[in-house]
Amino acid sequence: YLLLSPAGNRLLLGTAQGLRWMAIDGRGGEDIALPGQGHGFLPLWGNGEQEVLVAQHDGKQALYRLYAVDLGNKQNRELGMFAIPNNGPGWIQLSLSPDRQWLMGEAYQAGFYWIHLPTGTLVPIGGNAVGPQDRWLTIGFVGWVPRGEGQ
């Protein structure tokens, strides 16, 4: 993984060994300890340059846990947990809504879902494939936009 931070000042690098952030100018960076005990993870930037979100496979169950990691004080907290559809291999992309209530995700070979973090509920997005005879819906998810007052 290689992700640019919201302000464009840092890169988030995900490797088989773990996570690392690096300053764009090369004058800083450090490894990020993974918060959970599982294997397999998906990183994404949280709010601003000081927060990284890590969705990590539980390791004991067919679910992921989403953690917020503060890069300043190295503290982390769990934001929610959610299953892997059809007990499949896992998630391949996730994006968090600005209100931190929803994730948009793609489960490997299982399609696209809205994930409600407070409850862990998975809501399939129309067009998910359920068998080889079906056609896959390809969605290019770019990001979340805030809604205006009264919308």
Side-chain angles (χ1 to χ4, degrees):
Y1 300 96
L2 178 64
L3 302 170
L4 185 63
S5 66
N9 297 323
R10 296 180 179 189
L11 288 172
L12 183 61
L13 308 166
T15 68
Q17 292 75 36
L19 278 173
R20 178 172 181 77
W21 72 264
M22 295 179 60
I24 292 291
D25 64 7
R27 296 184 191 164
E30 62 185 23
D31 292 332
I32 301 168
L34 293 175
Q37 301 300 315
H39 59 82
F41 63 92
L42 283 171
L44 52 153
W45 284 99
N47 291 331
E49 303 283 302
Q50 288 296 99
E51 183 180 66
V52 170
L53 304 177
V54 178
Q56 190 170 16
H57 190 278
D58 183 83
K60 298 176 186 170
Q61 305 172 62
L63 60 85
Y64 272 67
R65 296 180 185 277
L66 183 68
Y67 299 95
V69 179
D70 186 306
L71 298 180
N73 64 19
K74 312 291 188 276
Q75 298 294 312
N76 64 69
R77 69 187 189 291
E78 188 173 321
L79 298 178
M81 71 175 107
F82 48 96
I84 303 169
N86 305 324
N87 292 319
W91 294 92
I92 55 177
Q93 67 178 358
L94 295 169
S95 180
L96 184 66
S97 66
D99 66 3
R100 295 174 168 249
Q101 298 293 301
W102 292 90
L103 282 170
M104 187 280 176
E106 179 183 359
Y108 184 74
Q109 294 186 341
F112 297 88
Y113 292 82
W114 297 118
I115 304 161
H116 188 239
L117 283 174
T119 63
T121 303
L122 300 180
V123 181
I125 296 173
N128 287 348
V130 294
Q133 73 281 3
D134 294 325
R135 296 177 189 243
W136 285 95
L137 171 68
T138 302
I139 297 175
F141 187 75
V142 177
W144 292 87
V145 293
R147 293 178 63 174
E149 196 67 31
Q151 292 184 348

